Amino acid sequence: MPLSTKTSAANTSNKSLRFFTLGGLLFLLFHFLLTLVYCFPEKPLAESLRQSSNEYMVPFFHQGWQLFAPDVPLYHGRVYFKTMPASFDTAWVPFGSNKAVSEHWKLNYAANRLSLMLMADMKKDLYFAGDTMKYDLVQNGRGYLSFVYFAGELQRAKTGSRPDSIQIKLDVIYPETPEGAPLNENLSYIFPWFELK
């Protein structure tokens, strides 16, 4: 085998090694950057960076009920919708598996993930003008718009056509004490009708 063939094979091997090393270092930099953003939620950062951090960290690294020291939720959200024209038997249809729509475990998973996004948007963007609650910033958020799309697709799956308008309701439910008393008064937020274009 000529010397030049050995040298070119060694150069190719070194280039591959450098490529994978650089890729690994870039991934570690990406991972630690998103971890820092996730761990310091109060720092002023771009909302797109914070959202990317949440989407990366929560499914894989967030401490959940499965671990020995759980991150106990203080409340949970339940989201409902109405459509116009009405296509469901009940006034408020819950997101997730129910009798109004098909039974599928992924519906519950999607509804739970989206309710976390909607509650995060509520915490950040809900405000008052005098005594009136203003939902306009929340209605431009990813969580709310995802629910609107979700409701439209559920009706399209049931009837074959999308609704003209959708209304969303969020119930914030607090757990009960061991004696059966609620920790806090449950809250209900009814959004204005959202007209589909």
Side-chain angles (χ1 to χ4, degrees):
M1 179 183 279
L3 183 61
S4 63
T5 307
K6 287 183 183 178
T7 306
S8 67
N11 286 342
T12 304
S13 177
N14 285 341
K15 285 180 182 177
S16 296
L17 182 61
R18 275 188 246 142
F19 175 76
F20 286 115
T21 302
L22 181 62
L25 289 173
L26 288 174
F27 175 75
L28 282 174
L29 179 67
F30 168 80
H31 173 76
F32 286 116
L33 174 70
L34 291 184
T35 302
L36 285 172
V37 170
Y38 184 75
C39 290
F40 297 106
E42 303 304 319
K43 298 291 181 198
L45 294 168
E47 189 57 35
S48 59
L49 182 60
R50 190 171 310 290
Q51 185 68 36
S52 298
S53 170
N54 285 343
E55 288 176 2
Y56 174 73
M57 294 299 291
V58 169
F60 303 112
F61 304 109
H62 183 76
Q63 183 176 343
W65 282 99
Q66 307 89 312
L67 298 176
F68 56 89
D71 182 10
V72 180
L74 301 175
Y75 52 83
H76 71 277
R78 188 83 173 120
V79 185
Y80 303 84
F81 71 96
K82 278 197 243 188
T83 59
M84 193 179 295
S87 298
F88 296 94
D89 300 335
T90 60
W92 289 107
V93 181
F95 281 97
S97 292
N98 61 73
K99 291 178 183 169
V101 298
S102 65
E103 297 284 331
H104 195 282
W105 70 272
K106 284 236 179 197
L107 290 175
N108 289 332
Y109 175 78
N112 290 337
R113 290 289 306 263
L114 291 175
S115 69
L116 290 173
M117 287 172 56
L118 181 59
M119 287 190 296
D121 289 346
M122 291 283 287
K123 185 176 180 182
K124 182 175 58 83
D125 293 331
L126 188 66
Y127 67 97
F128 285 85
D131 290 339
T132 307
M133 214 177 284
K134 294 294 191 177
Y135 294 100
D136 56 328
L137 295 177
V138 179
Q139 285 182 290
N140 287 321
R142 192 169 170 189
Y144 179 83
L145 293 174
S146 296
F147 269 120
V148 167
Y149 176 78
F150 194 177
E153 288 302 304
L154 287 174
Q155 179 164 324
R156 189 176 63 77
K158 180 177 172 67
T159 65
S161 64
R162 289 180 56 109
D164 297 330
S165 300
I166 294 172
Q167 189 173 31
I168 303 289
K169 178 175 87 160
L170 168 66
D171 286 344
V172 178
I173 302 162
Y174 291 89
E176 296 180 348
T177 63
E179 295 80 31
L183 285 176
N184 204 340
E185 183 181 345
N186 294 338
L187 304 171
S188 191
Y189 300 95
I190 299 176
F191 290 83
W193 283 92
F194 186 89
E195 193 173 323
L196 298 177
K197 297 176 184 176

